[in-house]
Amino acid sequence: MRVYDIIEKKKHRLPLSEEEIRFFANGVASGEIPDYQAAALLMAICLCGMNEEETFFLTAAIAESGDTIDLSAFGEYTADKHSSGGVGDKTTLILAPIAASCGVIMAKMSGRGLGHTGGTVDKLESIRGYRTTLSSEEFCELVKKNGIAVIGQSGNLAPADKKLYALRDVTATIDSVPLIASSIMGKKLAAGAKTIVLDVKYGSGGFMKTPEQATALAETMVKIGKRYGRRVAALITNMDVPLGNAVGNALEVKEAIEILQGRGCPALRALCLALAKTIVQLSLGIEESEAERRVTEALESGAAFDTLCRWIGGQGGDVSVLLHPEYLPAAPLSLDILSERDGYIFGMNAERVGEASLLLGAGRQTKEDTLDMGAGVILHKKTGDTVSRGARIATLYASDEARLEKAKECFLSAITYADKKPKTQSLIYKTVL
Ligand code: URA
């Protein structure tokens, strides 16, 4: 078999066979296929597409290109959740302890942030002592003891995706449904959970710009997961505006604690409960209304907060900061952003707010950048809110003045105003089961 022939075939819009797709994914993972040929095939797939069958084969080949995690010792109730990337998305910190409190086993690998989007592993590392790297024995022991553990992506999981994703990032081949679906689901299938719930974002801060595009991606991923023998569902959610009121690592941990203590942003709480409900419903095989009752009870009784404390403490994190969030890292400098006029906030571009947070030091532009855990943005107003000239819209936090000034410019470019209240979209567009 020759990669040249496979590229030629896809260029002519012909479907690739399972053998050809596996040859490609394994050759990429082992380094036998050079980057220029891999990139040529990625562009051909991007332009000519893949049918359902090919997309499934590519996903399975990515999932099986390296180590796979065997969670079968934990039984049927293992679950994982994936978000397709967002700004202010701290949902894992909230829904994982809620679902674990309901008897679901959350043995999870999470990612780091890159560009304008944040990552759960970075947020967790803002808690003093929390270890995101564990041996597999320690990981399994903690899952057994607490029903929950969250670590960073391990070395050899879906190595074909690692290489393909890096190539896609620099060859303008990110925005392709078969490539995104196989990349996300390849990693999720390799991570071993029986239930997978996907939060597929659309809007200015998401990969997909419209709800229709997000639905097409979600449907593809749900079909792939089911065919691979997993229980899968997806929520299509809005990422035009940042999620919740905090963007930045320690600031988001603080906001997650607030929700688990029964306070905080109602829309964020509602999304976390909806995701947790879907995880519990699918994992335990119970009615939706019963799942809803159990997750609400776990949150309101404080059981989920207690699970958070056991989880964080089990992984070496300082539990006192969960009880006293004022001990979390905090940036020494702050700057209020004031409204330029009377009226309504018409738009708050999530991608730009994410970029402002990155400029403050909360994100990284290259993988080597060090994060300022206390840096970020607190939003006092969001799309649809009324403002009067001079009112505080947001506060920026950083460790140096130059960063505050740069981020201010970026943040201001995210905001548009109107005289009339704009129509706001609901956070959850629909569920794909
Ligand atoms: N997240 C992934 O893991 N892969 C993609 O292709 C897009 C988002």
Side-chain angles (χ1 to χ4, degrees):
M1 213 175 275
R2 294 191 319 157
V3 194
Y4 181 94
D5 300 325
I6 300 175
I7 300 169
E8 183 73 13
K9 199 168 165 187
K10 186 42 71 184
K11 187 178 80 179
H12 291 290
R13 301 183 177 275
L14 294 169
L16 304 179
S17 69
E18 181 173 7
E19 291 66 37
E20 287 164 334
I21 290 171
R22 279 199 183 264
F23 175 79
F24 170 63
N26 291 335
V28 167
S30 68
E32 279 160 60
I33 296 179
D35 285 358
Y36 51 83
Q37 283 187 313
L41 185 55
L42 288 171
M43 185 54 87
I45 294 170
C46 202
L47 296 176
C48 304
M50 272 186 151
N51 64 29
E52 213 175 294
E53 194 84 346
E54 292 174 282
T55 309
F56 175 77
F57 292 143
L58 180 58
T59 310
I62 287 174
E64 292 157 27
S65 65
D67 296 342
T68 52
I69 298 174
D70 182 7
L71 297 177
S72 57
F74 300 112
E76 275 301 300
Y77 297 162
T78 51
D80 198 350
K81 167 253 167 196
H82 177 84
S83 153
S84 66
V87 178
D89 187 349
K90 66 285 289 173
T91 52
T92 293
L93 304 178
I94 302 164
L95 67 85
I98 295 177
S101 302
C102 296
V104 175
I105 305 292
M106 298 298 294
K108 211 177 138 31
M109 282 191 183
S110 286
R112 292 189 184 278
L114 191 66
H116 74 277
T117 64
T120 301
V121 166
D122 295 330
K123 295 170 214 221
L124 286 167
E125 285 182 350
S126 73
I127 302 171
R128 200 169 38 222
Y130 187 92
R131 290 180 298 131
T132 51
T133 310
L134 301 176
S135 68
S136 49
E137 292 77 29
E138 207 178 351
F139 179 64
C140 289
E141 233 168 68
L142 285 170
V143 172
K144 203 164 158 194
K145 186 169 163 217
N146 298 322
I148 178 169
V150 180
I151 55 175
Q153 215 105 51
S154 90
N156 198 35
L157 198 86
D161 179 64
K162 240 175 239 156
K163 294 212 177 151
L164 290 176
Y165 194 84
L167 277 179
R168 287 168 59 211
D169 209 16
V170 291
T171 55
T173 49
I174 290 283
D175 58 344
S176 144
V177 166
L179 293 179
I180 298 177
S182 56
S183 164
I184 292 176
M185 289 305 287
K187 289 184 287 254
K188 289 288 122 182
L189 296 178
K194 292 266 196 306
T195 294
I196 301 166
V197 170
L198 305 159
D199 179 1
V200 182
K201 311 280 191 194
Y202 72 90
S204 62
F207 276 104
M208 299 286 130
K209 296 303 168 198
T210 67
E212 291 77 22
Q213 288 170 343
T215 303
L217 174 63
E219 285 172 352
T220 304
M221 294 196 288
V222 169
K223 274 188 201 151
I224 291 170
K226 284 188 177 165
R227 185 164 168 181
Y228 209 81
R230 308 292 169 89
R231 298 178 289 256
V232 194
L235 269 69
I236 313 296
T237 69
N238 184 294
M239 189 34 82
D240 266 327
V241 182
L243 188 55
N245 298 324
V247 184
N249 299 294
L251 294 172
E252 291 189 45
V253 170
K254 212 170 182 173
E255 189 172 30
I257 293 169
E258 274 172 23
I259 299 282
L260 287 169
Q261 290 181 333
R263 296 172 284 123
C265 168
L268 173 62
R269 179 185 192 272
L271 176 59
C272 292
L273 282 174
L275 288 164
K277 176 192 74 180
T278 311
I279 291 174
V280 169
Q281 183 190 347
L282 286 189
S283 302
L284 308 187
I286 57 177
E287 290 293 321
E288 184 181 355
S289 56
E290 176 58 13
E292 187 158 6
R293 191 192 65 72
R294 291 194 199 180
V295 295
T296 309
E297 160 81 12
L299 179 63
E300 290 178 355
S301 67
F305 182 73
D306 294 343
T307 302
L308 173 80
C309 294
R310 280 200 304 283
W311 157 30
I312 300 297
Q315 288 189 235
D318 180 354
V319 176
S320 72
V321 304
L322 305 178
L323 303 168
H324 296 279
E326 66 274 16
Y327 297 156
L328 281 162
L333 304 177
S334 65
L335 178 71
D336 285 335
I337 303 287
L338 307 180
S339 174
E340 291 163 348
R341 50 168 282 193
D342 294 339
Y344 290 88
I345 302 279
F346 180 74
M348 182 174 272
N349 183 296
E351 184 170 0
R352 308 251 63 203
V353 176
E355 278 164 16
S357 175
L358 185 155
L359 292 171
L360 290 164
R364 47 174 90 72
Q365 270 153 323
T366 70
K367 276 197 215 134
E368 289 71 36
D369 286 352
T370 332
L371 300 182
D372 179 348
M373 289 300 184
V377 182
I378 292 290
L379 302 168
H380 306 297
K381 300 280 183 189
K382 291 180 81 173
T383 303
D385 287 343
T386 58
V387 283
S388 46
R389 189 181 160 82
R392 263 191 332 162
I393 298 180
T395 306
L396 311 183
Y397 294 91
S399 295
D400 79 66
E401 294 285 353
R403 281 185 179 275
L404 283 177
E405 283 309 316
K406 260 197 189 161
K408 178 182 174 184
E409 210 174 292
C410 181
F411 186 88
L412 286 173
S413 73
I415 309 296
T416 49
Y417 299 89
D419 293 327
K420 278 198 193 149
K421 188 173 171 66
K423 249 175 113 180
T424 46
Q425 289 174 341
S426 68
L427 188 53
I428 302 172
Y429 175 72
K430 70 164 160 179
T431 302
V432 177
L433 281 172

